[in-house]
């Protein structure tokens, strides 16, 4: 990964040439950002992320061969140190939730002001989740909306490590922060989260965070 003293290595993934050109024009004006590659479809984005190991991928959703959400999941799984920032025109809730579940570090719309763009990339690189204000409002409403109640009987036995992961999820910690706190690999954290989601029958991390905050974790029987 790039350190705070070096440039942020960036991969652009978008099927529209004019979009990649425009992003390049904006980002090349910033010395702290280096564009190391471009991809015009999701499959190419995955291959180049694995090959180039950039610090961050700017990922469109609607691309040929493989959509951006699927590509995000493959990148986050195969090269977990690489952050993926979704940049799209889609405001569909399902795309937002799926992107977060696949490990995206943020979700932005393409109408973002250029003057804010550099700061957002730098913040994402530092580990902060980034959301378009409109998307952030949707996420807030989703968090406020009632979710299906899950009861302790849904569990066949949470492991002690999964309990630790759950407690950190309840505080709003992302996978990188959890991995640093528990001194385990970020990929291991993702596996724990996936196992937990499958066990309790929830769709995504957002629902899991809501569930954790309404559950007394001390009552869960460990395996």
């Amino acid at each position: 990964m790039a350190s705070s003293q070096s440039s942020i290595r960036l991969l652009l993934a978008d099927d529209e040439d004019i979009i990649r050109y425009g992003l390049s024009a904006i980002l090349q004006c910033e010395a702290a950002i280096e564009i190391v590659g471009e991809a015009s479809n999701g499959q190419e984005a995955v291959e180049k992320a694995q090959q180039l190991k950039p610090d961050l991928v700017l990922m469109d959703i609607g691309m040929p061969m493989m959509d951006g959400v699927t590509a995000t999941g493959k990148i986050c799984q195969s090269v977990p140190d690489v952050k993926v920032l979704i940049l799209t025109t889609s405001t569909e809730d399902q795309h937002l939730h799926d992107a977060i579940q696949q490990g995206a570090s943020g979700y932005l719309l393409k109408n973002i002001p250029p003057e804010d763009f550099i700061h957002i990339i730098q913040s994402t690189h530092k580990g902060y989740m980034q959301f378009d204000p409109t998307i952030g409002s949707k996420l807030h409403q989703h968090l406020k909306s009632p979710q299906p109640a899950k009861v302790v009987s849904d569990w066949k036995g949470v492991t002690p490590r999964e309990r630790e992961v759950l407690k950190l999820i309840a505080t709003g910690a992302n996978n990188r922060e959890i991995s640093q706190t528990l001194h385990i690999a970020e990929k291991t954290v993702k596996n724990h989260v996936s196992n937990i989601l499958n066990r309790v029958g929830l769709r995504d991390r957002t629902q899991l965070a809501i569930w954790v905050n309404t559950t007394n974790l001390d009552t869960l029987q460990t395996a």
Side-chain angles (χ1 to χ4, degrees):
M1 285 183 60
S3 69
S4 59
Q5 303 300 317
S6 61
S7 60
I8 300 172
R9 302 177 67 253
L10 199 70
L11 172 65
L12 302 179
D14 198 295
D15 63 326
E16 295 188 48
D17 293 344
I18 190 65
I19 297 294
R20 295 199 311 276
Y21 178 84
L23 291 174
S24 297
I26 294 171
L27 297 174
Q28 286 175 354
C29 296
E30 177 54 53
I33 295 175
E34 176 190 1
I35 299 174
V36 297
E38 297 184 7
S40 59
N41 61 67
Q43 182 62 46
E44 187 181 12
V46 173
E47 293 171 355
K48 289 198 172 182
Q50 293 170 340
Q51 174 190 359
L52 300 171
K53 294 181 173 57
D55 296 309
L56 192 148
V57 179
L58 282 180
M59 180 76 74
D60 186 28
I61 286 183
M63 292 189 292
M65 296 183 66
M66 181 186 297
D67 65 87
V69 172
T70 301
T72 294
K74 290 184 177 296
I75 290 171
C76 290
Q77 189 171 48
S78 61
V79 276
D81 284 340
V82 177
K83 292 183 174 67
V84 180
L85 182 60
I86 300 294
L87 186 64
T88 182
T89 58
S90 174
T91 59
E92 291 186 20
D93 292 353
Q94 191 63 52
H95 283 159
L96 168 63
H97 300 150
D98 289 349
I100 295 173
Q101 186 176 4
Q102 291 299 324
S105 294
Y107 196 103
L108 300 173
L109 300 182
K110 288 182 178 178
N111 61 0
I112 182 173
E115 59 268 22
D116 296 337
F117 201 39
I118 302 298
H119 174 71
I120 287 172
I121 289 174
Q122 292 172 330
S123 295
T124 305
H125 181 241
K126 291 176 182 177
Y128 296 102
M129 297 287 285
Q130 300 292 310
F131 294 98
D132 184 273
T134 304
I135 297 298
S137 298
K138 283 190 174 187
L139 200 57
H140 179 66
Q141 290 300 318
H142 181 74
L143 287 168
K144 288 172 61 180
S145 63
Q147 299 294 327
K150 307 299 288 187
V151 295
V152 176
S153 60
D154 287 331
W155 290 77
K156 296 180 180 178
V158 57
T159 68
R161 178 62 84 187
E162 287 173 344
R163 185 200 296 268
E164 292 176 321
V165 171
L166 282 167
K167 287 183 176 180
L168 290 169
I169 287 175
T171 69
N174 59 34
N175 287 351
R176 181 173 297 276
E177 292 166 336
I178 294 173
S179 71
Q180 292 172 345
T181 300
L182 299 182
H183 305 292
I184 58 178
E186 191 170 351
K187 185 175 181 179
T188 302
V189 176
K190 292 178 181 178
N191 288 338
H192 282 312
V193 173
S194 178
N195 289 338
I196 294 167
L197 287 169
N198 289 335
R199 181 179 290 124
V200 300
L202 292 176
R203 184 183 62 193
D204 55 39
R205 189 191 185 95
T206 303
Q207 290 185 343
L208 181 59
I210 297 169
W211 185 86
V212 171
N213 280 291
T214 58
T215 300
N216 182 359
L217 292 180
D218 292 330
T219 66
L220 296 179
Q221 183 179 1
T222 56

